Amino acid sequence: ASLRRRHAGFTSTPSINSLLGTARSLAWLSIASLGPAKENIYALESLKGYIVSGCRELKRKFRVNWKRQNTGGTASLQSVAFATSQSGWAVGLRGSMLHTNDGGSSWKEQNYPTTSDLFSVVFVTSQLGWTLGYNGTILHTDDGGRTWKPQASGSGTVLRGITFVNPNLGWAVGWDGVILHTDDGGGTWKSQTSGTNKSLNSVAFVTPQSGWVVGWEDTILHTEDGGTTWKSQTSGTTAVLDSVTFVRRR
């Protein structure tokens, strides 16, 4: 089977409060309602995932049912990521960070390394993670979020989405069509040509070569060469696409 047949993708459209899904990355169809607008989707596997809503709550998905999880904090959350089924992080406005080590049953605040709004977070192991946000902010941790260090993005724009496929290879996207790529764990970030000036909100890669970006005005971009070239895909919606994630089918 081809790569496209082995992966299922999801992207959220907060403007119309729905999900779009694809089985082959070629066609996107409306598949579910999310209720009030949500900020970010993170899938651990094809039947399990998490949503953050920007109003201090997390929801966990089993098939079509969602269970409310209370963080116990006051942060306006924007993004969530899990390194394992138990260990996860959520980030939000004013540099807020939360961590769980029990699959979201309880959440604890971590030290805020910045007051900048954070819009996306990713972890590739229980120790290695990145988050990004306003004014080109990119932060990196190698100790599970206990400490965070800034990385030079080379961009002053708002960065909205980040992904890594391994400890070295990562991509970040943001306003004005910005796509950044690193091959050394964020030691250096280099610009890639997106072919658009539309704001980009989220990025997901399933291999070091194959990835997707979504953004404003129904933008979906796809690459099969690690971001050297990006091609537009038809989303079938006129909504703003806020988040995209892919899971490998078993």
Short mmCIF file of all heavy atoms in Angstrom, two decimals, residues 163-209:
data_model
loop_
_atom_site.label_atom_id
_atom_site.label_comp_id
_atom_site.label_asym_id
_atom_site.label_seq_id
_atom_site.Cartn_x
_atom_site.Cartn_y
_atom_site.Cartn_z
N THR A 163 5.96 20.96 14.34
CA THR A 163 5.99 19.51 14.38
C THR A 163 7.41 19.02 14.22
O THR A 163 8.25 19.69 13.60
CB THR A 163 5.10 18.90 13.27
OG1 THR A 163 4.95 17.51 13.49
CG2 THR A 163 5.70 19.12 11.89
N PHE A 164 7.71 17.87 14.81
CA PHE A 164 8.98 17.18 14.64
C PHE A 164 8.69 15.72 14.34
O PHE A 164 7.77 15.13 14.92
CB PHE A 164 9.83 17.28 15.91
CG PHE A 164 10.68 18.53 15.98
CD1 PHE A 164 10.10 19.75 16.29
CD2 PHE A 164 12.04 18.48 15.75
CE1 PHE A 164 10.86 20.90 16.37
CE2 PHE A 164 12.82 19.63 15.82
CZ PHE A 164 12.23 20.84 16.13
N VAL A 165 9.47 15.12 13.44
CA VAL A 165 9.34 13.69 13.16
C VAL A 165 10.38 12.87 13.90
O VAL A 165 10.24 11.65 14.02
CB VAL A 165 9.43 13.41 11.64
CG1 VAL A 165 8.25 14.02 10.91
CG2 VAL A 165 10.75 13.91 11.06
N ASN A 166 11.42 13.53 14.39
CA ASN A 166 12.44 12.91 15.21
C ASN A 166 13.16 14.03 15.95
O ASN A 166 12.83 15.21 15.75
CB ASN A 166 13.40 12.04 14.37
CG ASN A 166 14.12 12.83 13.28
OD1 ASN A 166 14.59 13.94 13.50
ND2 ASN A 166 14.19 12.26 12.08
N PRO A 167 14.13 13.75 16.80
CA PRO A 167 14.78 14.82 17.57
C PRO A 167 15.48 15.88 16.74
O PRO A 167 15.82 16.95 17.27
CB PRO A 167 15.77 14.06 18.45
CG PRO A 167 15.15 12.71 18.63
CD PRO A 167 14.53 12.40 17.31
N ASN A 168 15.70 15.63 15.46
CA ASN A 168 16.43 16.58 14.61
C ASN A 168 15.56 17.32 13.61
O ASN A 168 15.73 18.53 13.41
CB ASN A 168 17.56 15.85 13.86
CG ASN A 168 18.64 15.35 14.77
OD1 ASN A 168 19.09 16.06 15.66
ND2 ASN A 168 19.05 14.11 14.57
N LEU A 169 14.63 16.62 12.98
CA LEU A 169 13.88 17.19 11.86
C LEU A 169 12.55 17.79 12.31
O LEU A 169 11.69 17.08 12.86
CB LEU A 169 13.62 16.12 10.80
CG LEU A 169 14.84 15.56 10.08
CD1 LEU A 169 14.42 14.45 9.11
CD2 LEU A 169 15.59 16.66 9.35
N GLY A 170 12.39 19.10 12.07
CA GLY A 170 11.16 19.77 12.46
C GLY A 170 10.77 20.88 11.51
O GLY A 170 11.59 21.36 10.72
N TRP A 171 9.49 21.29 11.60
CA TRP A 171 8.95 22.38 10.79
C TRP A 171 8.09 23.27 11.67
O TRP A 171 7.44 22.81 12.61
CB TRP A 171 8.09 21.84 9.65
CG TRP A 171 8.85 21.14 8.58
CD1 TRP A 171 9.25 21.64 7.36
CD2 TRP A 171 9.32 19.78 8.60
NE1 TRP A 171 9.93 20.69 6.65
CE2 TRP A 171 10.00 19.54 7.39
CE3 TRP A 171 9.25 18.76 9.54
CZ2 TRP A 171 10.58 18.33 7.08
CZ3 TRP A 171 9.83 17.54 9.26
CH2 TRP A 171 10.49 17.33 8.02
N ALA A 172 8.09 24.56 11.36
CA ALA A 172 7.24 25.53 12.04
C ALA A 172 6.57 26.40 10.99
O ALA A 172 7.17 26.70 9.94
CB ALA A 172 8.07 26.40 12.99
N VAL A 173 5.34 26.83 11.25
CA VAL A 173 4.59 27.65 10.29
C VAL A 173 3.97 28.83 11.02
O VAL A 173 3.78 28.81 12.24
CB VAL A 173 3.51 26.84 9.56
CG1 VAL A 173 4.12 25.68 8.80
CG2 VAL A 173 2.44 26.34 10.54
N GLY A 174 3.63 29.87 10.23
CA GLY A 174 3.06 31.06 10.85
C GLY A 174 2.42 32.00 9.86
O GLY A 174 2.11 31.63 8.73
N TRP A 175 2.22 33.23 10.32
CA TRP A 175 1.57 34.24 9.50
C TRP A 175 2.38 34.53 8.24
O TRP A 175 3.57 34.27 8.16
CB TRP A 175 1.40 35.52 10.31
CG TRP A 175 0.34 35.43 11.36
CD1 TRP A 175 -0.38 34.32 11.71
CD2 TRP A 175 -0.14 36.49 12.18
NE1 TRP A 175 -1.27 34.63 12.71
CE2 TRP A 175 -1.15 35.95 13.02
CE3 TRP A 175 0.19 37.85 12.31
CZ2 TRP A 175 -1.83 36.72 13.95
CZ3 TRP A 175 -0.50 38.62 13.24
CH2 TRP A 175 -1.49 38.06 14.05
N ASP A 176 1.69 35.10 7.24
CA ASP A 176 2.32 35.55 5.99
C ASP A 176 2.98 34.41 5.22
O ASP A 176 3.97 34.63 4.51
CB ASP A 176 3.34 36.66 6.27
CG ASP A 176 2.74 37.85 6.98
OD1 ASP A 176 1.61 38.23 6.62
OD2 ASP A 176 3.37 38.38 7.91
N GLY A 177 2.47 33.20 5.35
CA GLY A 177 2.99 32.07 4.59
C GLY A 177 4.32 31.55 5.05
O GLY A 177 4.99 30.81 4.30
N VAL A 178 4.72 31.87 6.27
CA VAL A 178 6.04 31.45 6.77
C VAL A 178 6.07 29.95 7.04
O VAL A 178 5.21 29.41 7.73
CB VAL A 178 6.40 32.23 8.05
CG1 VAL A 178 7.62 31.60 8.74
CG2 VAL A 178 6.69 33.68 7.72
N ILE A 179 7.08 29.28 6.49
CA ILE A 179 7.40 27.90 6.83
C ILE A 179 8.89 27.85 7.15
O ILE A 179 9.73 28.26 6.36
CB ILE A 179 7.08 26.92 5.69
CG1 ILE A 179 5.59 26.94 5.36
CG2 ILE A 179 7.52 25.50 6.08
CD1 ILE A 179 5.20 25.98 4.23
N LEU A 180 9.23 27.34 8.34
CA LEU A 180 10.61 27.19 8.77
C LEU A 180 10.94 25.71 8.93
O LEU A 180 10.08 24.91 9.30
CB LEU A 180 10.85 27.92 10.09
CG LEU A 180 10.47 29.39 10.15
CD1 LEU A 180 10.68 29.93 11.57
CD2 LEU A 180 11.30 30.20 9.16
N HIS A 181 12.20 25.36 8.70
CA HIS A 181 12.64 23.96 8.80
C HIS A 181 13.97 23.89 9.53
O HIS A 181 14.84 24.75 9.37
CB HIS A 181 12.78 23.34 7.41
CG HIS A 181 13.39 21.98 7.42
ND1 HIS A 181 12.86 20.92 8.15
CD2 HIS A 181 14.49 21.49 6.80
CE1 HIS A 181 13.61 19.85 7.95
NE2 HIS A 181 14.59 20.17 7.15
N THR A 182 14.11 22.87 10.37
CA THR A 182 15.38 22.60 11.04
C THR A 182 15.77 21.14 10.85
O THR A 182 14.90 20.26 10.82
CB THR A 182 15.30 22.90 12.55
OG1 THR A 182 16.58 22.64 13.16
CG2 THR A 182 14.25 22.06 13.24
N ASP A 183 17.07 20.90 10.72
CA ASP A 183 17.57 19.53 10.66
C ASP A 183 18.55 19.25 11.78
O ASP A 183 19.25 18.23 11.77
CB ASP A 183 18.20 19.23 9.30
CG ASP A 183 19.36 20.15 8.95
OD1 ASP A 183 19.83 20.90 9.84
OD2 ASP A 183 19.81 20.13 7.79
N ASP A 184 18.60 20.16 12.77
CA ASP A 184 19.51 19.97 13.90
C ASP A 184 18.81 20.26 15.24
O ASP A 184 19.42 20.81 16.16
CB ASP A 184 20.75 20.84 13.74
CG ASP A 184 20.44 22.33 13.63
OD1 ASP A 184 19.25 22.70 13.78
OD2 ASP A 184 21.38 23.11 13.40
N GLY A 185 17.56 19.87 15.32
CA GLY A 185 16.84 20.02 16.57
C GLY A 185 16.52 21.44 16.96
O GLY A 185 16.27 21.73 18.14
N GLY A 186 16.52 22.34 16.00
CA GLY A 186 16.21 23.73 16.27
C GLY A 186 17.42 24.60 16.53
O GLY A 186 17.28 25.79 16.83
N GLY A 187 18.62 24.01 16.40
CA GLY A 187 19.83 24.82 16.52
C GLY A 187 19.85 25.92 15.48
O GLY A 187 20.27 27.05 15.75
N THR A 188 19.39 25.59 14.29
CA THR A 188 19.20 26.57 13.22
C THR A 188 17.86 26.32 12.54
O THR A 188 17.45 25.15 12.37
CB THR A 188 20.33 26.47 12.16
OG1 THR A 188 20.38 25.13 11.63
CG2 THR A 188 21.67 26.83 12.76
N TRP A 189 17.19 27.40 12.18
CA TRP A 189 15.93 27.33 11.45
C TRP A 189 16.10 28.05 10.13
O TRP A 189 16.60 29.17 10.09
CB TRP A 189 14.80 27.96 12.25
CG TRP A 189 14.40 27.17 13.46
CD1 TRP A 189 14.91 27.27 14.72
CD2 TRP A 189 13.39 26.16 13.52
NE1 TRP A 189 14.29 26.39 15.56
CE2 TRP A 189 13.34 25.69 14.86
CE3 TRP A 189 12.51 25.61 12.57
CZ2 TRP A 189 12.46 24.69 15.26
CZ3 TRP A 189 11.63 24.61 12.97
CH2 TRP A 189 11.61 24.17 14.31
N LYS A 190 15.67 27.42 9.04
CA LYS A 190 15.79 28.00 7.71
C LYS A 190 14.41 28.09 7.06
O LYS A 190 13.56 27.21 7.24
CB LYS A 190 16.73 27.17 6.84
CG LYS A 190 18.16 27.11 7.38
CD LYS A 190 19.04 26.24 6.51
CE LYS A 190 20.46 26.17 7.04
NZ LYS A 190 21.33 25.30 6.21
N SER A 191 14.22 29.14 6.26
CA SER A 191 12.95 29.38 5.61
C SER A 191 12.75 28.44 4.42
O SER A 191 13.69 28.15 3.67
CB SER A 191 12.87 30.83 5.14
OG SER A 191 11.64 31.07 4.47
N GLN A 192 11.51 27.96 4.23
CA GLN A 192 11.11 27.23 3.04
C GLN A 192 10.06 28.06 2.29
O GLN A 192 9.35 28.86 2.90
CB GLN A 192 10.53 25.86 3.39
CG GLN A 192 11.56 24.89 3.95
CD GLN A 192 10.99 23.49 4.18
OE1 GLN A 192 9.80 23.30 4.40
NE2 GLN A 192 11.86 22.50 4.12
N THR A 193 9.98 27.85 0.99
CA THR A 193 9.05 28.61 0.16
C THR A 193 7.69 27.93 0.16
O THR A 193 7.55 26.81 -0.33
CB THR A 193 9.58 28.73 -1.28
OG1 THR A 193 10.85 29.38 -1.26
CG2 THR A 193 8.61 29.53 -2.14
N SER A 194 6.69 28.62 0.72
CA SER A 194 5.36 28.03 0.81
C SER A 194 4.53 28.28 -0.45
O SER A 194 3.59 27.53 -0.72
CB SER A 194 4.62 28.61 2.01
OG SER A 194 4.34 29.99 1.81
N GLY A 195 4.85 29.35 -1.17
CA GLY A 195 4.07 29.69 -2.35
C GLY A 195 2.80 30.45 -2.04
O GLY A 195 1.95 30.64 -2.91
N THR A 196 2.65 30.92 -0.80
CA THR A 196 1.46 31.67 -0.41
C THR A 196 1.85 32.73 0.61
O THR A 196 2.87 32.58 1.31
CB THR A 196 0.39 30.75 0.19
OG1 THR A 196 -0.78 31.52 0.51
CG2 THR A 196 0.88 30.06 1.45
N ASN A 197 1.06 33.78 0.70
CA ASN A 197 1.25 34.76 1.76
C ASN A 197 0.12 34.69 2.79
O ASN A 197 0.00 35.55 3.65
CB ASN A 197 1.36 36.18 1.19
CG ASN A 197 0.13 36.60 0.40
OD1 ASN A 197 -0.86 35.86 0.34
ND2 ASN A 197 0.17 37.77 -0.21
N LYS A 198 -0.70 33.66 2.68
CA LYS A 198 -1.79 33.46 3.64
C LYS A 198 -1.21 32.96 4.97
O LYS A 198 -0.18 32.28 5.00
CB LYS A 198 -2.80 32.45 3.11
CG LYS A 198 -3.52 32.91 1.85
CD LYS A 198 -4.45 31.84 1.33
CE LYS A 198 -5.13 32.28 0.04
NZ LYS A 198 -6.02 31.23 -0.51
N SER A 199 -1.88 33.30 6.05
CA SER A 199 -1.42 32.85 7.36
C SER A 199 -1.60 31.34 7.49
O SER A 199 -2.65 30.79 7.16
CB SER A 199 -2.20 33.57 8.46
OG SER A 199 -1.89 34.94 8.47
N LEU A 200 -0.56 30.68 7.99
CA LEU A 200 -0.55 29.23 8.16
C LEU A 200 -0.63 28.90 9.64
O LEU A 200 0.08 29.49 10.45
CB LEU A 200 0.70 28.64 7.53
CG LEU A 200 0.92 29.00 6.05
CD1 LEU A 200 2.24 28.45 5.54
CD2 LEU A 200 -0.25 28.49 5.20
N ASN A 201 -1.49 27.96 10.00
CA ASN A 201 -1.80 27.72 11.39
C ASN A 201 -1.26 26.42 11.98
O ASN A 201 -1.07 26.33 13.19
CB ASN A 201 -3.33 27.71 11.58
CG ASN A 201 -3.94 29.07 11.32
OD1 ASN A 201 -3.33 30.10 11.58
ND2 ASN A 201 -5.16 29.07 10.80
N SER A 202 -1.04 25.42 11.15
CA SER A 202 -0.68 24.11 11.70
C SER A 202 0.07 23.30 10.66
O SER A 202 -0.13 23.47 9.45
CB SER A 202 -1.95 23.37 12.13
OG SER A 202 -1.65 22.11 12.70
N VAL A 203 0.94 22.39 11.13
CA VAL A 203 1.75 21.55 10.25
C VAL A 203 1.84 20.16 10.84
O VAL A 203 1.92 19.99 12.06
CB VAL A 203 3.15 22.16 10.03
CG1 VAL A 203 3.87 22.41 11.35
CG2 VAL A 203 4.00 21.29 9.11
N ALA A 204 1.81 19.15 9.97
CA ALA A 204 1.95 17.75 10.40
C ALA A 204 2.73 16.98 9.36
O ALA A 204 2.50 17.14 8.15
CB ALA A 204 0.57 17.12 10.60
N PHE A 205 3.68 16.16 9.82
CA PHE A 205 4.46 15.28 8.95
C PHE A 205 4.30 13.84 9.42
O PHE A 205 4.26 13.58 10.63
CB PHE A 205 5.94 15.66 8.97
CG PHE A 205 6.33 16.69 7.96
CD1 PHE A 205 5.96 18.01 8.13
CD2 PHE A 205 7.06 16.35 6.83
CE1 PHE A 205 6.31 18.98 7.20
CE2 PHE A 205 7.42 17.31 5.89
CZ PHE A 205 7.04 18.64 6.08
N VAL A 206 4.19 12.91 8.46
CA VAL A 206 4.10 11.49 8.79
C VAL A 206 5.41 10.76 8.51
O VAL A 206 5.64 9.67 9.04
CB VAL A 206 2.94 10.81 8.04
CG1 VAL A 206 1.61 11.34 8.53
CG2 VAL A 206 3.07 11.01 6.54
N THR A 207 6.26 11.35 7.68
CA THR A 207 7.62 10.88 7.43
C THR A 207 8.49 12.11 7.25
O THR A 207 7.97 13.23 7.14
CB THR A 207 7.70 10.01 6.16
OG1 THR A 207 7.57 10.85 5.00
CG2 THR A 207 6.62 8.93 6.14
N PRO A 208 9.80 11.97 7.19
CA PRO A 208 10.64 13.14 6.94
C PRO A 208 10.38 13.81 5.61
O PRO A 208 10.81 14.95 5.38
CB PRO A 208 12.07 12.56 6.99
CG PRO A 208 11.96 11.38 7.88
CD PRO A 208 10.62 10.78 7.56
N GLN A 209 9.65 13.15 4.72
CA GLN A 209 9.38 13.71 3.40
C GLN A 209 7.95 14.18 3.21
O GLN A 209 7.70 15.15 2.49
CB GLN A 209 9.70 12.65 2.32
CG GLN A 209 11.14 12.18 2.32
CD GLN A 209 12.11 13.31 2.08
OE1 GLN A 209 11.93 14.14 1.19
NE2 GLN A 209 13.18 13.35 2.88
#
